[in-house]
Structures are given as C-alpha cells and as structure tokens.
Amino acid sequence: MSKVNYTSLEANSKGFYGLMGVLAAVILVALGAVYYMEHNGHWVTGMNNQIVWGLPHVFAIFLIVAASGALNVASIGTVFGKAIYKPLGRLSSLLALALLTGGLLVLVLDLGRPDRLIVAMTYYNFKSIFAWNIFLYTGFFGIVAVYIWFMMERKMNKYYKVAGYAAFVWRLILTTGTGSIFGFLVARSAYDAAIMAPLFIALSFSLGMACFILFLMATYKWSEKELGDAILRRLKNVLGIFVAAAFYFVLAYHLTNLYATEHHGFEAFLLTGPSGHTPLFWVGQILIGTVAPLLIFYTKMGESRSAIAVGSALVIIGGFAQFTTIIIGGQAYPMPIFPDYEVISSSFGDAAKYYAYTPSLPEIVLGIGGVAIAILIFVFGCAVLRFLPDSLADKVADPHYKAESSA
Amino acid sequence: MNKLLVILASMAVLLIGSTASAGSPKPLPNLDNVQGDKCVAPKEVIRVEHMEYIMHQRDETMHRGIRTSKHSLKGCINCHIVKGDDGKPVNFMDDRHFCNSCHEYAAVQMDCFQCHASTPTPGPVAAGK
Amino acid sequence: MSSKESNETNKSRRQFLGAAAATATMTVAPGVTVIGLAQAKPVDQAVSSKNRWGLLIDSNKCASGCDACVTACNTENGIEEIHGPETDPQWIRKVTLKHKASGRETSLPLMCQHCEHPPCVDVCPTGASFRREDGIVLVDRHTCIGCRYCMMACPYKARSFVHETLTQQVEYMPRGKGCVESCTLCVHRVDAGSGDPACVEACNKENHNAMMFGDLNDKYSDINQELRAYKTRELRADLNLNTGVRYRGI
C-alpha cells in the first residue's frame, strides 16, 4: 500500500457549477417553503394537534442519525486501526458534518418560532433530552472539525488518534441522545422503551454507511478518480452487518412489545393495522430496507458495483420508511388515557382508531432542501479542501493487494 | 462596469435620501393623550430602562404570579394612548403607536404585540403579522 | 365586548359564585367550618407552594351532550374556531366513554391535569414549560420556541399548538402563533382571587356542579374535604404524576 495523496475536487468544470446551481435552487425553493409555512403558521402543513411532528422531523432525524453513522468509516480507521479505511477518514468526517448541518437546519426551520433560536441557545432545562442534544450537536461539530484539522495538518497529525477516539465516543453518545428523545416518552406505547437508544445507534451505523458508500461512489465517478473494488466490497460487507444488527434491535423491540399486553394495541396497529404504516413497515422497512439489501450484498450480486449502489439506496429507503413508522406511526396510534374504557366521542380525536397524516408539499420541499444543503456542503468542502484521496485503486488502498487477486 | 457603478451609486443615494426623509426629524413620542401626569419613572430613566422593567415584570408575572401594575405591559399600554384620525386609540400596526415612535427609528424589533394587546383594554387585540 | 358589559357580567358572575359556593359548602360538608372562597393574594406577593390548585371532576354529574365548560373556556381565553378541530387549540374537551366491562356510558371534561411531576416540563428544552409554585403548569410563551416536544410527552394530549396568526385575543390572555398552550386553570382569575376558572363557573351555572376548583393543600377547602370523603382517581395513575385534577365516577 503506497502513500495516499489527497486532492480537492476540480471546481472549475461546467458540471460543478451546474450541480451547485441546482442545489442552490433547491435550497432557495425550500427557504420559500419555510417562509410560506412560518408566515401562515403550521395549519398549512399536514401536521396538527395529533401528529405534531411530521415529515420534516423524519428528514431531520434521518439526517442527524446518518450523520453520526457517516463517521463510522473514520472511526474504523482511527479507533480500530484498519488500514484500508484510513484514507477515507477525512471524507467520512466531512460527510458527517454535512449531514448533521442539513438535519439540524430542517429541525430548526420547522420550529413554531425559529426567530427565537437565540432563546434555545440561552435558556436551558437540563432535564430535557432536547437540551442535551443541543450540546451534543454543537460538540459534535467542534470535535469533528478538530479531527479533520488534525488529520489534514501535518504538525497536528500525531494527535489525530485522540481526536478520533473523542469523536467516536461523542457520536455514540449523540445517537444515544437522539434515540432517547423517543425512548423516554412514557406517555406513548410506541416510545416508552429504552431500546430506542441502541436501535438508533445500529440504525446510524447502517444509514451512515449507506450514505457514505453512495457519496463515495458518486464523487469518484464524477471526478473520474479510481475507486477500487476492494474498498467497495469491504464497505458493503460492513454495511450488511450493520443492516442485520439494526434488524436485530427491531426484532427485539417488537418481541418485547408483543410480550407485554399493554403494548398489544400498538403492535397490532403497526403490524396488521389499517393505516399506511403497516405497508411502510413490511414493504418499506423489512423488505426493501432489510431483506433486499442483505440478499444483494451476500450473494453473487454483491460483486457488481451498481448492485452495491442499489443495495445502499435500498437501505436508505428502508431507513426512511423506518423513521416514518417510528416518528409518525408512533403518534398515529392514540394514547391510552382511559384503559378501562372505550372512547365513544371526543372533539379532540380521542375516539379515533388512528390519526392520519398527509404531508403537504412545503414540508416535502423543506426536507429535500435539508438533503440539498448536506450535499452542497459536502461538494463545497471537497472543492475547497483536500478531502479526496487521489486514487482509491486497489493497489493504493488495499493493504493486502497482490498483483492479480483482489479483496 | 462604469455603468454598473453609476447605477449602484445612484441607488445608494436614493436609498439614503428616502430613509433620511422618513427618519428625520427624529420622531418624538406622542404624549398628547397620555393618561396621568407622570410616568412610572422619570422621563430620562424610563427612556433607557423600560425594557429592563418590562422584561423583569414579564418573568415576575409569568413565573411568580406577581401582578403589580407599575411595570406591567398592560400598564404602559393603558396610559400611553395615541389617538388616530377616527379618535380611537391606534394599535401597533400604526406608525404613530407610542411604542413604535422610537422603535422604528431605533430599529428595535418586538414580537410582543403578536400576542399582547396594543390598545387599552378591554376588547379584542387587533394583532396582525 | 365593551368594558361596561364585561364588568357587569363579572359582577354577576361573582355574586352568583358566592351563592353557589355557599350552597356547595353546606351540602357537601355539613358541620365543617369552611373559609369560603380563596382569599385574594396581594398583587405584589409571589405564589407559594403552600397552595396547590386543583380540580375535582365528578363524571356522574357531568351531563353528556353538555359542553358549557368548553364554550366558557373558549370565551374566557379568546379561543376561536379557525381552521377546524384538527389544528384549533382545545384547552378543554368533552369525552364520552363506555366502560369496557359493564358498557356503562359516562362523559367528562379533560384538560391539563396539572401534574406534580409533569412530563411536559421535563422535556422542554428551554424551560418554557414550567410548574408554578402553587401547582399550576404553564407555558411561558416568551421562551417557547414551538418545538412541540411537550405535546409528544403529555400523556393526556392536553396541549395545543397555535397553528396560525391570531387577532382576537383577550387582553388578559395573550396568545400567538407558533407557541404551545394549554389550560392555565384561568391563572389570571386565580391570581386575582376572583373565583373559579371559567369552566367550573359555567358548569355550576348549568346546575350540573360536576367540577370543583380549590386548594388541595388547604384541609378546610371543599375540594380537600371531597377528596377525603370519596374515592377519586387520577388518569394514568400508573405514571405516578400526582395530578392536580382528580376524577370521580370513573
């Protein structure tokens, strides 16, 4: 394995400006959507007093969780000392920052009063998991920025391991925090489960890795740099393990729920119920997000690059479906306020079998805007600093490279 | 390039001109219809300290249930009436509203009247955006 | 509503209240000396944990089909119909229940339960959701950023979000777009010592007397006496929130 040279992305091509232009346009439209929603108030969205967190939160949580996981590759290189991942450390850190920024912006722009962001920064209730998360997110930015700096600056190079460990621990805590936003809500059948935290960590691993693979493939294809099979196969094998791990926690979550009678109602609602969350769970989360990628990754198909890309995309789609069922499905099921009674009527929807939610266009646009911001930051970062290994061809990247065999 | 500069320069002049004509002379708060004969603090003091008073009162009322009227927002509004052309007190949408008289000049943004009454009570608040 | 009108209604409300409270005192707890209506606290004095305000709701007396409490709350707090029940705030709602085992039907009003350990307060990132010393759980709408986490956390769905620009607020209850809100137990009345919350007053006016307001800590108060004399129930008692609103008949 030879020494890795890092370069930045060629920023003067038509393609580059075209991409930046498209992203900027998407972001502008998203800002327009935000203005529309904030000016009119949230009644123009699909959210209401029953489904208080909607599609923007699905996008936001997805991006935040994926951000933490995108750092995986860097961690495996630094913390677990796997040589093949080391050249990817910078890129993986950049992607983490980009995704986190996109997610947080969506979250903030959906607040009822985004103009009061300063209040969120100056008033804290330390019992609130949300408040912890504000520290965890800002800390994540700081630590990962330092980590990148140490990796890039030769003089600081000797400390980068320390920064890498710190980033690794921090992002485990961060995802624990994100999962706990839901895990500690005693009121709701869907959420009252400490397993939310490890489930979110496993999800962050799989979604972050899937995002990373796609970003890596796109960047190298587009900049016409070489990306060897060895790295890709390695990454997809790891992704497969993460997908399986996430599925294990999903299984554990539902099995515990199925054991406890008080949660039967919710389980029946999700697994067999009449709402759109049932197909989202079975088709989206299980079939598309779990079974199909595992089939792709661990059969002959897994040797093809396009199949790896498709598999990663499926993981992302499945993750999106999963966050939809967790965030929106969890609210859609009515709360058991009167366990011994059946609610006959109520003006506030207590008698409903479940609460329906249809996202409005501005919400969808806002979410996509968050993704666009993440991509923009990633591309921009690649253009201004040297994040990209010049070549990831097998003979450069793979420590076990032998002339004709690969992987 | 030169053309652009000329355009920009003339735009700047126009802009300065228009703000200057709107902003000068420095507006004085209208006290024609103020209730009572003195404020809750000397003029010099209330001018610079009123935000502290109001914000303090806000927390005292909200969290501790203290409902004295001296520094309450309701109090300010009930005394500081500015009548409009129809003889009725104007609300905060009107530039002449007492609280707007300096704030617009000083570029202070306040969201208070999205919720709070800006005309003497009782009656519905004419709030807006 | 002109000022004169509202003063008059206020006056008649109070007179009426005096009478209602007196009769309630006599019939509910004969032989017990009751201090009567809550004494007004001086305006410059802070509320204290000596008091704990609460409600007792007797679902046996609550008339199904009657929503006087809801209407009164809306009028009192300036809550109007805007874009329909899904997005309009509801600080109090009427719920009709059917007992699963016996099939008996009951109806009751449901609002913020003013917990001693409120989940909404725990989760609020800025501390805008808070519990006053005297037990009233409120949203400080000056620091609420509209994140709605409290709505996710409340086991009673007692909170609403303001989904649009408001223009018809009443002057003593400032409300506005983008903040979360819920029943305040008519905190402006409590602080003024001017009697019961609007819902309770309306229920009494209908002669249903299904709701009782008072100081749970004051052992001479009517509500305390009732709690001593009869078995009452907290909603979601399994969560150990020690609610300030208690129910009878369910």
Side-chain angles (χ1 to χ4, degrees), chain B residues 30-46:
Chain B
N30 179 336
L31 291 169
D32 294 349
N33 284 303
V34 69
Q35 310 291 298
D37 49 7
K38 53 184 195 320
C39 196
V40 293
K43 228 173 172 175
E44 301 69 37
V45 180
I46 192 80

Side-chain angles (χ1 to χ4, degrees), chain C residues 2-119:
Chain C
S2 79
S3 85
K4 204 160 144 244
E5 238 169 59
S6 84
N7 278 344
E8 267 163 22
T9 28
N10 265 340
K11 219 193 256 159
S12 60
R13 274 174 183 164
R14 277 173 216 167
Q15 280 163 356
F16 166 78
L17 262 174
T23 39
T25 316
M26 272 154 42
T27 50
V28 162
V32 181
T33 335
V34 176
I35 302 188
L37 281 175
Q39 296 287 309
K41 118 187 132 46
V43 286
D44 60 348
Q45 214 174 75
V47 295
S48 89
S49 54
K50 283 211 261 335
N51 308 102
R52 171 145 195 232
W53 302 110
L55 291 173
L56 174 61
I57 293 164
D58 189 341
S59 69
N60 293 322
K61 295 188 190 158
C62 176
S64 79
C66 167
D67 62 356
C69 52
V70 178
T71 316
C73 175
N74 291 348
T75 311
E76 177 77 9
N77 295 299
I79 301 169
E80 23 153 22
E81 273 177 43
I82 308 181
H83 291 115
E86 296 204 325
T87 47
D88 288 350
Q90 295 189 33
W91 292 9
I92 179 173
R93 62 190 190 261
K94 274 292 298 283
V95 182
T96 309
L97 303 170
K98 184 167 153 194
H99 194 252
K100 278 181 189 157
S102 69
R104 184 177 65 100
E105 283 196 18
T106 340
S107 88
L108 49 80
L110 182 63
M111 72 297 282
C112 170
Q113 303 286 299
H114 298 279
C115 311
E116 187 187 355
H117 308 289

Side-chain angles (χ1 to χ4, degrees), chain A residues 60-76:
Chain A
I61 305 267
F62 179 96
L63 289 169
I64 290 169
V65 167
S68 148
L71 200 65
N72 249 316
V73 178
S75 300
I76 303 176

Side-chain angles (χ1 to χ4, degrees), chain A residues 359-371:
Chain A
S360 65
L361 186 62
E363 289 167 86
I364 302 174
V365 174
L366 168 60
I368 294 174
V371 177

Side-chain angles (χ1 to χ4, degrees), chain A residues 212-232:
Chain A
F212 183 79
I213 291 178
L214 287 182
F215 273 82
L216 183 74
M217 290 178 79
T219 314
Y220 273 71
K221 176 149 194 173
W222 187 48
S223 62
E224 292 170 355
K225 295 188 195 325
E226 229 180 313
L227 177 62
D229 282 337
I231 272 199
L232 268 185

Side-chain angles (χ1 to χ4, degrees), chain A residues 266-295:
Chain A
F266 172 69
E267 285 299 320
F269 162 73
L270 183 63
L271 302 183
T272 63
S275 79
H277 294 284
T278 305
L280 263 181
F281 177 81
W282 288 112
V283 180
Q285 183 179 334
I286 301 298
L287 214 60
I288 297 181
T290 311
V291 178
L294 286 179
L295 273 179

Side-chain angles (χ1 to χ4, degrees), chain A residues 216-354:
Chain A
L216 183 74
M217 290 178 79
T219 314
Y220 273 71
K221 176 149 194 173
W222 187 48
S223 62
E224 292 170 355
K225 295 188 195 325
E226 229 180 313
L227 177 62
D229 282 337
I231 272 199
L232 268 185
R233 288 200 189 140
R234 219 39 113 71
L235 290 175
K236 70 104 182 144
N237 283 341
V238 176
L239 175 56
I241 295 172
F242 290 160
V243 169
F247 178 66
Y248 166 78
F249 283 110
V250 169
L251 209 61
Y253 168 85
H254 288 293
L255 287 179
T256 11
N257 269 357
L258 284 170
Y259 200 82
T261 315
E262 60 169 322
H263 295 310
H264 283 180
F266 172 69
E267 285 299 320
F269 162 73
L270 183 63
L271 302 183
T272 63
S275 79
H277 294 284
T278 305
L280 263 181
F281 177 81
W282 288 112
V283 180
Q285 183 179 334
I286 301 298
L287 214 60
I288 297 181
T290 311
V291 178
L294 286 179
L295 273 179
I296 291 177
F297 294 154
Y298 293 125
T299 57
K300 259 246 164 341
M301 277 186 279
E303 281 164 27
S304 127
R305 275 173 184 244
S306 40
I308 294 180
V310 169
S312 305
L314 293 182
V315 172
I316 288 176
I317 295 172
F320 204 83
Q322 181 158 8
F323 280 124
T324 309
T325 62
I326 291 179
I327 297 171
I328 297 170
Q331 297 170 78
Y333 184 68
M335 276 197 276
I337 305 176
F338 308 97
D340 323 338
Y341 291 83
E342 183 192 331
V343 183
I344 308 265
S345 73
S346 153
S347 56
F348 207 58
D350 301 280
K353 292 275 168 286
Y354 68 93

